[in-house]
Amino acid sequence: MVRILSIDHPTENAVSWWRNLRPLTELQRRWPDIQVRFLGEGAPLHEILACDMVIMYRPMTEGSLKFIQMCRAHGKKIIIDIDDNLWRLPPGHPLEIEYHKYSRQINEIYAHADGIWCSVDALMDFADARDGRGRVIPNAILESDLPDEPAPYKGSVCWRGSSAQIADIESEEAKAVFQENKDKFKRWFFWGYYPASMRSDNTTGIARVDLVSYFLGLRNNGFNIMWKPLQDNQFNDGKSNIAWLEATMAGAICVTNYAPEKPGWEWAVGNFTDNPDFIASQWQASREAILEHYELNRVNTIRYNHILTILGILGETIKA
């Protein structure tokens, strides 16, 4: 039995779902020799002593470093999981000030890792993970999390995001795209943040909700397009496929200015369209691509093999 302690932030969020809660829950479901406990950095010493390995999602503070040092002192293997480029935070990002405060210990934190899991290849160099410790483990999904067909066309567009995406949605480029397309669709929804510059008769703001309500909302609100405007910078170059996965989960297509030139956005669409047939066919293509390249049990094989390799139990031989 391999006992893993998963350390995450105290509040559950969508990124934690994709990087931590969903994949590690399914990991232990598929491989009974894996047992996972989900706790925060305040995990008591007896939990640390009882585990074989600690997996930490995006540690960056002085407290994170002390926690890792304590785990190392007790002989525990460490895997760090990262989904954002903490080394290239753009102006206006809510973590920018924290990064300047914690930048020195972030590099020391990663130096302690036995393994580093990056959601995209663009993060591997910044995390210093090309020395054999790193694996690219993309966000992935179960087939049961996807609908069988796209949402019925209602002319519905949704942008969803947090304070980390305000600079993108408030950019002059995004405002221009909205003005150009706002009358093409019946209803626009802004979920988590409602830009004052984009409020009109056919727009609606949706307040942030808990994690369960969020995913239920994706399935039930009938969006046709999920919009992901991104400023061109190194931080966004390291963006993972979450927006595209969640769009497909909602029965919608993903529209972003990063498609299709940037890696990871090959199945997103670069421009708005109100053609229901095109939207339906593009959604179907996205669903098929997900099941071929980003099915969770197949991707979890990378996690499983790396865990056992770090612990010295076997070489990387298990097939998906």
Side-chain angles (χ1 to χ4, degrees):
M1 176 68 69
V2 175
R3 296 174 176 84
I4 295 173
L5 195 57
S6 173
I7 303 298
D8 202 346
H9 304 295
T11 57
E12 296 177 354
N13 57 63
V15 179
S16 293
W17 166 268
W18 291 107
R19 299 306 302 169
N20 181 21
L21 294 175
R22 188 58 154 167
L24 296 186
T25 297
E26 290 302 315
L27 188 77
Q28 65 181 349
R29 190 193 307 274
R30 182 177 180 187
W31 287 285
D33 57 324
I34 299 288
Q35 183 184 80
V36 184
R37 292 270 291 160
F38 297 91
L39 295 170
E41 287 181 4
L45 181 59
H46 71 269
E47 294 281 3
I48 297 171
L49 295 175
C51 77
D52 303 295
M53 171 178 285
V54 174
I55 298 177
M56 296 188 72
Y57 170 66
R58 203 174 67 181
M60 62 181 294
T61 68
E62 185 177 350
S64 303
L65 176 58
K66 290 180 178 179
F67 182 84
I68 287 175
Q69 289 172 333
M70 179 172 63
C71 293
R72 296 292 276 175
H74 290 286
K76 307 305 174 182
K77 298 295 185 180
I78 306 288
I79 291 177
I80 292 175
D81 189 291
I82 183 71
D83 186 67
D84 281 321
N85 190 339
L86 299 178
W87 298 266
R88 292 294 185 273
L89 294 171
H93 192 284
L95 290 178
E96 182 192 14
I97 295 176
E98 287 189 73
Y99 173 74
H100 288 296
K101 179 180 178 182
Y102 298 130
S103 58
R104 184 163 54 184
Q105 55 253 40
I106 287 177
N107 292 328
E108 188 174 352
I109 284 169
Y110 279 78
H112 281 293
D114 299 287
I116 300 172
W117 292 348
C118 300
S119 58
V120 296
D121 185 74
L123 299 178
M124 290 281 282
D125 290 323
F126 293 100
D128 197 20
R130 296 200 189 276
D131 56 359
R133 297 181 299 160
R135 299 292 183 276
V136 176
I137 303 184
N139 299 306
I141 194 170
L142 293 174
E143 183 173 6
S144 59
D145 289 330
L146 294 170
D148 294 325
E149 56 188 23
Y153 187 77
K154 300 177 182 178
S156 174
V157 179
C158 178
W159 174 89
R160 94 288 180 268
S162 65
S163 57
Q165 285 90 49
I166 290 177
D168 292 307
I169 190 63
E170 290 280 18
S171 69
E172 293 305 315
E173 294 83 359
K175 292 176 183 177
V177 169
F178 173 74
Q179 290 301 323
E180 180 182 346
N181 292 279
K182 72 181 181 69
D183 295 328
K184 188 183 294 185
F185 301 96
K186 184 176 181 180
R187 179 61 56 183
W188 294 72
F189 296 90
F190 294 89
W191 196 349
Y193 176 76
Y194 195 6
S197 62
M198 298 184 185
R199 299 184 186 188
S200 66
D201 292 341
N202 65 338
T203 64
T204 300
I206 304 176
R208 295 189 69 182
V209 294
D210 62 83
L211 192 61
V212 173
S213 299
Y214 174 68
F215 282 107
L216 286 174
L218 284 178
R219 295 293 293 266
N220 297 331
N221 282 333
F223 305 127
N224 302 121
I225 293 174
M226 303 289 282
W227 183 31
K228 187 67 174 179
L230 293 168
Q231 294 179 297
D232 191 356
N233 55 47
Q234 283 189 303
F235 177 77
N236 284 335
D237 288 348
K239 280 286 185 184
S240 67
N241 60 358
I242 290 177
W244 172 61
L245 292 177
E246 291 184 359
T248 311
M249 179 189 289
I253 65 170
C254 179
V255 172
T256 175
N257 55 297
Y258 260 43
E261 291 82 5
K262 300 285 188 178
W265 297 102
E266 294 89 348
W267 293 280
V269 178
N271 298 294
F272 279 100
T273 176
D274 58 354
N275 184 324
D277 293 335
F278 176 81
I279 290 173
S281 64
Q282 182 67 24
W283 177 86
Q284 186 62 45
S286 287
R287 189 182 193 278
E288 292 171 2
I290 286 172
L291 296 181
E292 181 178 356
H293 301 285
Y294 302 103
E295 194 279 325
L296 181 54
N297 283 316
R298 185 178 296 114
V299 171
N300 259 350
T301 304
I302 306 172
R303 287 184 172 92
Y304 182 74
N305 286 333
H306 200 204
I307 287 168
L308 298 193
T309 299
I310 288 173
L311 292 173
I313 296 175
L314 89 167
E316 300 195 24
T317 57
I318 304 298
K319 301 296 184 182

